[in-house]
Amino acid sequence: VQLQASGGGLVQPGGSLRLSCAASGNIYSVNTMRWYRQAPGKQRALVASVNYASNTTYADSVKGRFTISRDDAKRTMYLQMGSLKPEDTAVYYCNIEVMPGGDYRYLDFWGQGTLVTVSS
């Protein structure tokens, strides 16, 4: 199973970006999907999550500005980020709970990270 994150880049304060994370490989089922971020000198922190029923949770710092969603047919998760602030600058990582084919457990898989820089 592999996760491919994309969509990061440089954006001005107040701008928008959409991150994507696509899962591929021997996948039987996908459970909760999450976005984390790690700013320079800080620990990795949970940004948002979406479960199998599309229920979502958000960190207080991004509520009302970010929207997480999933497309199960494409095995892809998205993070629509708006009203971006310099403090949103970080490497964003996707994390997906996957039950590989032939397995009976959900396992955590991580994407490689995509850099988001918010600066004028």
Side-chain angles (χ1 to χ4, degrees):
V1 176
Q2 292 184 330
L3 303 187
Q4 181 66 47
S6 61
L10 174 63
V11 62
Q12 292 187 341
S16 300
L17 276 177
R18 189 176 83 153
L19 306 183
S20 300
C21 179
S24 62
N26 184 22
I27 298 171
Y28 178 75
S29 177
V30 175
N31 198 17
T32 300
M33 299 175 157
R34 302 177 181 90
W35 285 101
Y36 287 80
R37 67 184 181 187
Q38 187 166 17
K42 296 188 176 181
Q43 290 187 331
R44 191 173 298 188
L46 180 64
V47 175
S49 70
V50 56
N51 70 4
Y52 67 93
S54 293
N55 296 312
T56 59
T57 64
Y58 296 93
D60 287 343
S61 59
V62 306
K63 280 181 182 176
R65 300 189 297 120
F66 290 10
T67 302
I68 189 171
S69 61
R70 60 191 286 165
D71 183 334
D72 287 323
K74 296 181 179 179
R75 292 174 175 166
T76 299
M77 155 175 78
Y78 305 97
L79 186 68
Q80 180 67 48
M81 305 185 293
S83 302
L84 283 162
K85 305 175 181 179
E87 50 264 44
D88 294 317
T89 295
V91 177
Y92 285 70
Y93 297 91
C94 55
N95 165 257
I96 301 180
E97 296 176 3
V98 173
M99 182 182 292
D103 209 319
Y104 63 93
R105 305 162 297 170
Y106 282 103
L107 304 175
D108 270 337
F109 290 89
W110 290 86
Q112 82 283 8
T114 183
L115 177 63
V116 173
T117 303
V118 184
S119 174
S120 55

